[in-house]
Amino acid sequence: MPSVAVKLYSVFFKFLLKHRLQNRIQENPTDEIKSTTNSFGVTSRPEESIAAVNPSFTDGVATKDIHIDPLTAVSIRIFLPDTCLLSPESQSTRPRVVKTMFRHPDLLDLDPIHRRNSCGPDNKNNVVVTPRAEKNNLRRNSYGCIGNDLDNNGVYRGYSPLLNGSCRKLPLMLQFHGGGFVSGSNESVANDFFCRRIAKLCDVIVVAVGYRLAPENRYPGAFEDGLKVLHWLGKQANLAECSKSFGNARGGGGAGGGGPDLRKSGEGQIHVADAFGASMVEPWLAAHGDPSRCVLLGVSCDANIADYVARKAVELGRLLDPIKVVAQVLMYPFFIGSVPTHSEIKLANSYFFDKAMCILAWKLFLPEKEFSLDHPAANPLIPNREPPLKLMPPTLTIVAEHDWMRDGAIAYSEELRKVNIDAPVLEYKDAVHEFATLDMLLKTPQAQACAEDIAIWVKKYISLRGHEFSY
């Protein structure tokens, strides 16, 4: 059984979550008003604890925030592990796996007004207190960072790779945070910690998606945002290839003519802009990202988003080139249906996210006229759903013993295995929903073991030699 501390925190968590969900219902405008006034959307709530970006490798992973869509609030946070600095010849060498629990300075104090200096040493004395009034005045610049990532002369102090084709390539992992569609953030302290852990253990570039939250943006907003990010990654890969082609043809030549502007700085960096000046090559992804090895990872409700994006990737096929989704990881997915499962009946009042709370979240996410527990977003096993399951990528499912949604996730995995898809299920004893991603549970041995299990399985599909121990 879960510990007394987990049980007590679950009671407090459910009380607070219920209060917030009820407030969302009261504040929610009608669909007609919402469609015209809130299309830009929000990706984070004021009460969320936000981790500062760190564009250098002071703690082993560099991070950067990018707003990718001028018409919506959709953004991403990139997590780049320092193993990208190894030479390309070391691709076949398995990187060091960190077995110990690494310290994340932002988890020392979960107060959202504390910030860590993004370029200073990794210690507790290097915490900058940002007044709450100033928090909302921080703006990201074109480098994808906030003001304290620049020195007094406005020079970017983060990692800048050389775009000369000699950098080590790493797989991409598209990560979707949890929160019941109505809360959570890709920039939260808890999600930042989890993504850093996954980036290190899996040796991948994690792209955490900041999608638009409900009820300001109901279905299919968040699902379309996930697919939009996948298309953006494909666009970045194509822009990077174009930059190489023009660089070879013109030797990084001048800015004349109507083609892309290629310039070489003193450090040998190549900067590429198209005729509109907006479609810039993202240097970290251009130098180190391998779009042919893309993995999707969804947490809780966002496992549903990951599964939707995987289905769309199958439908689009070569239209997504060079992006190739090779596997997906569904962590305690939000699958439900009109016919209750055994775990729904037995564990309806389970820890943290009980059934009543989850149905309330679905009511906030789905349009009123479309609400149904058998909605395609909620139930992946409705009849005649496309594409056929036999075309889905390999799928790892993580479930918890004390999670009422456990049986629904297992049933989906069983259907995948019936059509010969590699779809194992890892069930964790005495675990609760979000046991590996919730802020207070992130440092438990079970959370660390889950991340390591994910890394072992994922490496079967991102390894250059086709084996998890030869990556």
Side-chain angles (χ1 to χ4, degrees):
M1 292 292 292
S3 66
V4 175
V6 170
K7 293 179 180 179
L8 291 175
Y9 186 71
S10 173
V11 173
F12 170 76
F13 182 92
K14 288 201 286 188
F15 173 80
L16 187 62
L17 180 61
K18 183 177 180 180
H19 175 71
R20 289 176 178 173
L21 290 177
Q22 290 174 340
N23 285 344
R24 298 280 176 261
I25 292 177
Q26 295 172 1
E27 297 169 0
N28 182 35
T30 62
D31 286 345
E32 291 76 18
I33 298 176
K34 175 181 68 64
S35 62
T36 58
T37 61
N38 293 324
S39 59
F40 189 80
V42 296
T43 60
S44 182
R45 303 294 182 191
E47 65 269 15
E48 200 71 53
S49 300
I50 302 300
V53 292
N54 175 18
S56 56
F57 297 103
T58 52
D59 56 355
V61 178
T63 59
K64 176 192 294 188
D65 289 339
I66 301 176
H67 179 211
I68 68 168
D69 183 11
L71 301 179
T72 67
V74 180
S75 63
I76 61 171
R77 172 166 288 192
I78 302 175
F79 295 81
L80 182 68
D82 57 7
T83 52
C84 70
L85 303 176
L86 300 174
S87 64
E89 289 75 16
S90 61
Q91 286 278 94
S92 60
T93 304
R94 189 188 183 200
R96 175 177 57 92
V97 176
V98 181
K99 292 291 183 182
T100 58
M101 304 288 290
F102 62 87
R103 292 175 59 83
H104 190 292
D106 288 332
L107 282 177
L108 296 175
D109 188 345
L110 296 182
D111 190 330
I113 67 173
H114 287 79
R115 295 290 183 270
R116 175 167 52 79
N117 188 322
S118 61
C119 293
D122 192 8
N123 56 50
K124 188 173 182 179
N125 296 326
N126 195 42
V127 174
V128 181
V129 179
T130 304
R132 201 175 296 274
E134 297 179 9
K135 175 185 173 185
N136 295 328
N137 292 328
L138 293 175
R139 293 291 183 267
R140 298 189 187 92
N141 51 41
S142 58
Y143 295 111
C145 57
I146 57 177
N148 61 356
D149 296 324
L150 307 177
D151 62 18
N152 294 331
N153 297 320
V155 178
Y156 175 59
R157 299 183 298 177
Y159 171 60
S160 295
L162 300 178
L163 303 183
N164 55 12
S166 63
C167 298
R168 183 170 183 250
K169 295 290 186 179
L170 297 177
L172 301 175
M173 178 177 285
L174 208 57
Q175 188 264 356
F176 302 90
H177 66 83
F181 300 114
V182 298
S183 61
S185 171
N186 66 323
E187 304 170 355
S188 69
V189 171
N191 198 67
D192 187 87
F193 182 95
F194 174 74
C195 289
R196 288 175 182 274
R197 171 181 280 169
I198 290 295
K200 288 183 176 182
L201 292 176
C202 296
D203 199 26
V204 297
I205 301 174
V206 176
V207 179
V209 179
Y211 59 85
R212 292 171 292 170
L213 301 176
E216 292 86 350
N217 291 91
R218 294 179 181 252
Y219 176 86
F223 283 56
E224 292 180 342
D225 293 345
L227 185 60
K228 182 180 297 182
V229 173
L230 194 66
H231 280 292
W232 182 85
L233 290 176
K235 177 182 178 182
Q236 286 296 316
N238 287 321
L239 284 173
E241 287 300 316
C242 288
S243 72
K244 292 179 183 178
S245 299
F246 281 102
N248 292 334
R250 303 174 62 178
D261 180 11
L262 297 127
R263 302 176 186 270
K264 284 192 176 181
S265 66
E267 295 83 7
Q269 291 177 275
I270 302 176
H271 303 275
V272 183
D274 65 9
F276 299 98
S279 299
M280 299 293 293
V281 175
E282 204 300 302
W284 290 6
L285 296 178
H288 299 292
D290 182 355
S292 67
R293 295 181 288 162
C294 182
V295 178
L296 307 178
L297 186 149
V299 176
S300 187
C301 64
D302 290 0
N304 298 45
I305 299 179
D307 189 65
Y308 168 85
V309 173
R311 289 176 181 270
K312 289 297 181 182
V314 170
E315 291 178 354
L316 291 170
R318 298 192 63 181
L319 293 177
L320 270 180
D321 282 350
I323 295 291
K324 289 182 176 59
V325 176
V326 297
Q328 67 170 339
V329 180
L330 307 181
M331 301 183 68
Y332 19 83
F334 240 48
F335 296 152
I336 195 172
S338 57
V339 179
T341 63
H342 177 71
S343 63
E344 284 184 44
I345 298 172
K346 183 181 178 181
L347 303 170
N349 194 33
S350 57
Y351 304 98
F352 294 102
F353 297 91
D354 58 36
K355 185 175 180 180
M357 210 81 69
C358 292
I359 290 179
L360 189 58
W362 277 113
K363 288 182 177 179
L364 284 168
F365 178 62
L366 295 175
E368 290 184 24
K369 296 180 181 179
E370 297 183 30
F371 177 76
S372 169
L373 296 183
D374 285 326
H375 190 282
N379 187 353
L381 296 178
I382 57 174
N384 302 319
R385 187 175 179 185
E386 295 293 333
L389 291 180
K390 64 181 181 180
L391 301 178
M392 292 294 287
T395 301
L396 172 66
T397 303
I398 306 292
V399 296
E401 181 184 6
H402 297 288
D403 183 4
W404 68 270
M405 290 176 278
R406 178 193 65 201
D407 287 355
I410 293 174
Y412 181 54
S413 182
E414 289 175 347
E415 292 300 315
L416 289 173
R417 289 198 296 274
K418 287 179 182 178
V419 291
N420 297 321
I421 300 296
D422 181 22
V425 175
L426 297 182
E427 182 173 2
Y428 292 82
K429 185 175 176 59
D430 291 333
V432 297
H433 189 80
E434 288 222 45
F435 72 93
T437 47
L438 203 63
D439 50 7
M440 79 159 294
L441 303 175
L442 277 168
K443 292 187 176 181
T444 62
Q446 208 168 30
Q448 175 74 13
C450 178
E452 292 177 357
D453 290 341
I454 290 173
I456 291 172
W457 184 82
V458 163
K459 286 181 180 180
K460 292 195 299 183
Y461 297 99
I462 61 176
S463 169
L464 293 178
R465 294 188 180 182
H467 192 279
E468 62 268 36
F469 296 111
S470 61
Y471 177 66

